[in-house]
Amino acid sequence: MTQDFATRIIAPGSTIGIMGNGQLGRMAALCAAELGYKVHVFGPGTDSPTEQVCAKATVADYTDLDALRAFASDVDVVTFEFENVPHDSVKLLSQLVPVRPGWKCLHLSQNRLREKTFCNENGIGTAPFAAVLSLADLKAAIAKLGRPAVLKTTEMGYDGKGQVKITDETSLDDAWAEMNGAEAILEGFISFEREISVIVARGVKGDTACFCPVENVHTNHILDVTIAPAKIPADLAKKAEDIATRLVEAMEFVGLLAVEMFVTTDGDVLVNEVAPRPHNSGHWTIDACITSQFEQFIRAVCGLPLGNPAHHSNARMKNLLGHDIDDWQAILAEPDAKLHLYGKAEAKAGRKMGHITWLLPKEG
């Protein structure tokens, strides 16, 4: 990236290119419009959630180099709502237009092994882990880390996909077979009280701003409820925010980074994984914060001053999965329920179709 690309301010009236066309892009595009920007979205599939609300859409595969070049020529900056874009495609874009966050940040966050190694090299704790490239590696890793443990693909996989829990009854041959030969990582189990996340923004000048830590409750490996703020001691909240800030600074990151963490039973905070984009656990900020995660995302990637992330209300956010949205009339009949739907044509089991946020009095 040229120095000009690194520091260029993208003024209102410009066009923001977003790679990925799901609900995160949709909510980001709506905030971009409020700040006077147009959005050109790139991704496979027509009538996507983002396409429905943006100025222009390129429907193409992420490896279509001609489409990527044409996309780059039509936008003033490129960012992501989906991090698993091939890094070679991102490198191509970065030669043509400012890309925020940069391809090196994406490359790091696309791989669980690289991600956890980077955390440890920067003095940030994670669950114990080992690289697994073969059945022999898996057996050696189990001997080292013990059972229970979780075997995951190093790349792709989310909401519980691409992972196997290994207990005393699990056949290692069967567990390895489920990886289909993919590079994997074995993560040792840790004893934790709750799962939390911190979303942090970093601007082109290195300024940072954190949203408060929130507690996340998962059902079947998919986020069900987010409680904001997390009910943890002030010193742990500060530690979590410090970890997130250290990570964006070490990565020289520009944009929005979500850091998922465990609060352990012995009072420590360990990083689980990161996402270099807006995050499901930040949806509550739309209704409860002075600056939402999506506005902050747009501000950061455009080189604007960061907004105030403080929350004016506590909140509870619940995902609507699959046919949960069939209850939309009952939800809207509840005056204090803030309903957000994503415009997806078909409700499928486990598919994120929308969310509800309830605002609560801010304590203290």
Side-chain angles (χ1 to χ4, degrees), residues 231-283:
K231 297 185 184 303
I232 56 176
D235 61 327
L236 281 185
K238 184 178 186 307
K239 183 172 184 177
E241 291 182 13
D242 288 347
I243 286 170
T245 301
R246 284 164 58 196
L247 273 175
V248 287
E249 290 175 344
M251 294 169 73
E252 298 181 349
F253 191 94
V254 174
L256 201 71
L257 184 74
V259 186
E260 298 181 40
M261 309 180 207
F262 297 114
V263 176
T264 66
T265 52
D266 60 359
D268 200 2
V269 178
L270 301 177
V271 169
N272 180 22
E273 58 187 32
V274 305
R277 52 166 171 77
H279 194 258
N280 195 171
S281 69
H283 292 354

Side-chain angles (χ1 to χ4, degrees), residues 60-93:
D61 188 82
Y62 296 117
T63 59
D64 187 331
L65 300 185
D66 288 338
L68 288 167
R69 291 188 184 96
F71 173 69
S73 71
D74 191 60
V75 302
D76 298 291
V77 66
V78 170
T79 191
F80 307 86
E81 67 100 64
F82 170 75
E83 66 266 34
N84 289 312
V85 178
H87 74 271
D88 286 341
S89 299
V90 182
K91 286 173 69 175
L92 170 64
L93 288 170

Side-chain angles (χ1 to χ4, degrees), residues 116-256:
K116 283 185 164 55
T117 300
F118 183 83
C119 285
N120 289 178
E121 288 174 348
N122 284 276
I124 295 169
T126 63
F129 65 92
V132 176
L133 304 177
S134 65
L135 177 58
D137 285 348
L138 176 57
K139 291 178 178 178
I142 285 290
K144 177 183 177 183
L145 300 181
R147 306 188 192 212
V150 181
L151 182 66
K152 301 178 181 179
T153 55
T154 58
E155 298 187 0
M156 305 297 286
Y158 58 94
D159 291 343
K161 300 180 180 72
Q163 61 179 262
V164 181
K165 182 178 179 180
I166 297 178
T167 66
D168 290 339
E169 291 75 35
T170 304
S171 160
L172 296 186
D173 293 66
D174 291 346
W176 176 244
E178 289 199 37
M179 296 294 102
N180 294 313
E183 179 188 59
I185 181 173
L186 185 75
E187 298 178 3
F189 257 48
I190 56 174
S191 180
F192 65 91
E193 288 184 347
R194 65 191 76 211
E195 296 178 74
I196 65 170
S197 57
V198 172
I199 294 172
V200 58
R202 184 172 181 271
V204 295
K205 296 180 180 179
D207 46 324
T208 62
C210 281
F211 292 90
C212 68
V214 298
E215 179 175 354
N216 300 313
V217 180
H218 294 82
T219 302
N220 298 323
H221 303 287
I222 301 174
L223 180 63
D224 182 20
V225 172
T226 293
I227 301 162
K231 297 185 184 303
I232 56 176
D235 61 327
L236 281 185
K238 184 178 186 307
K239 183 172 184 177
E241 291 182 13
D242 288 347
I243 286 170
T245 301
R246 284 164 58 196
L247 273 175
V248 287
E249 290 175 344
M251 294 169 73
E252 298 181 349
F253 191 94
V254 174
L256 201 71

